[in-house]
Amino acid sequence: DQQVKQNSPSLSVQEGRISILNCDYTNSMFDYFLWYKKYPAEGPTFLISISSIKDKNEDGRFTVFLNKSAKHLSLHIVPSQPGDSAVYFCAATYNFNKFYFGSGTKLNVKP
Amino acid sequence: GAVVSQHPSWVICKSGTSVKIECRSLDFQATTMFWYRQFPKQSLMLMATSNEGSKATYEQGVEKDKFLINHASLTLSTLTVTSAHPEDSSFYICSASRSDRRDSPLHFGNGTRLTVT
């Protein structure tokens, strides 16, 4: 049973516009959420995270929003750049014991 | 900081042989390391949780006798794929979180592409 879901396998955005990647989860016990970026043939790289006590965390061009009532989080990238093209995974954990990953969204930022 | 090194980055082996993959945390100690497997166009699948000094915890459906995990020190975990078969061909990724920080995110190695012929 997939506890973390990314329902959009791919997303295409024009350079300079906003990219919005979505993630849903089912386990209300999750208390920390993370986004990772992955290039082909490489391991994922940590991007940004948010604790369940917050609803927004911002780091430069990247902002993560958390809606606990809807069990939904999203990653906003503004402005999008061609170098942002990669696969983005959201992940969730409780007590940092295990990390559950979504299936990833492949972002393509067109010049 | 928080670098995880995984070796080898790719390996080709013949069916029936065993392959060992190493995962090292270079600049931090990791009590716990995780091994993931990624199928093409699919999610990262957690295979097992490796705990330093104790037996690994395997996820449901993962054969512990086939995927041997050893976590002998706070900076090294190994995954050995025993008697490899073509269906074991995949991308294996290890990860670790810092022992000294409770809220540390996972840091990943660069993965190992295993091809079994």
Side-chain angles (χ1 to χ4, degrees):
Chain A
D1 182 32
Q2 195 94 11
Q3 298 190 52
V4 179
K5 297 179 182 178
Q6 292 175 258
N7 292 319
S8 298
S10 64
L11 174 68
S12 188
V13 170
Q14 202 69 37
E15 181 180 5
R17 307 293 290 268
I18 184 171
S19 294
I20 300 177
L21 298 104
N22 293 303
C23 180
D24 297 294
Y25 61 95
T26 57
N27 192 336
S28 58
M29 295 287 289
F30 288 141
D31 57 8
Y32 205 80
F33 304 88
L34 311 93
W35 283 95
Y36 285 83
K37 178 179 178 180
K38 184 181 182 300
Y39 294 113
E42 292 184 11
T45 303
F46 170 69
L47 199 55
I48 192 170
S49 62
I50 187 168
S51 164
S52 61
I53 63 174
K54 296 183 176 181
D55 54 20
K56 177 182 175 181
N57 188 26
E58 194 171 351
D59 183 2
R61 296 186 297 114
F62 302 91
T63 303
V64 56
F65 295 92
L66 175 63
N67 183 334
K68 288 187 292 294
S69 60
K71 293 191 177 69
H72 176 84
L73 67 153
S74 60
L75 174 67
H76 293 210
I77 307 174
V78 182
S80 302
Q81 299 173 354
D84 296 329
S85 297
V87 177
Y88 290 78
F89 290 96
C90 70
T93 181
Y94 50 93
N95 289 331
F96 288 82
N97 285 331
K98 282 185 182 181
F99 291 77
Y100 297 86
F101 284 82
S103 54
T105 297
K106 185 175 183 179
L107 173 65
N108 179 33
V109 180
K110 296 177 289 186
Chain B
V3 177
V4 175
S5 173
Q6 190 172 337
H7 179 81
S9 55
W10 60 270
V11 58
I12 301 173
C13 71
K14 291 187 176 181
S15 188
T17 62
S18 296
V19 174
K20 180 185 281 188
I21 303 170
E22 290 188 350
C23 181
R24 293 179 185 273
S25 56
L26 296 186
D27 52 357
F28 66 98
Q29 293 184 333
T31 308
T32 303
M33 292 184 175
F34 303 88
W35 287 94
Y36 289 85
R37 180 175 179 177
Q38 185 181 26
F39 295 96
K41 298 183 180 180
Q42 292 191 25
S43 178
L44 300 168
M45 184 192 79
L46 178 63
M47 298 176 64
T49 302
S50 170
N51 299 297
E52 186 268 337
S54 64
K55 291 184 178 180
T57 304
Y58 290 81
E59 295 299 302
Q60 191 173 10
V62 178
E63 300 176 59
K64 61 181 180 182
D65 294 330
K66 180 167 188 59
F67 298 100
L68 300 179
I69 291 174
N70 184 276
H71 195 152
S73 76
L74 287 172
T75 59
L76 173 64
S77 175
T78 60
L79 168 68
T80 301
V81 183
T82 63
S83 186
H85 288 99
E87 56 265 31
D88 298 326
S89 298
S90 191
F91 192 59
Y92 294 87
I93 313 175
C94 73
S95 65
S97 58
R98 299 177 66 114
S99 301
D100 58 341
R101 291 173 55 178
R102 182 203 169 273
D103 60 347
S104 169
L106 281 185
H107 301 281
F108 285 84
N110 273 334
T112 298
R113 169 69 60 189
L114 170 63
T115 302
V116 184
T117 60

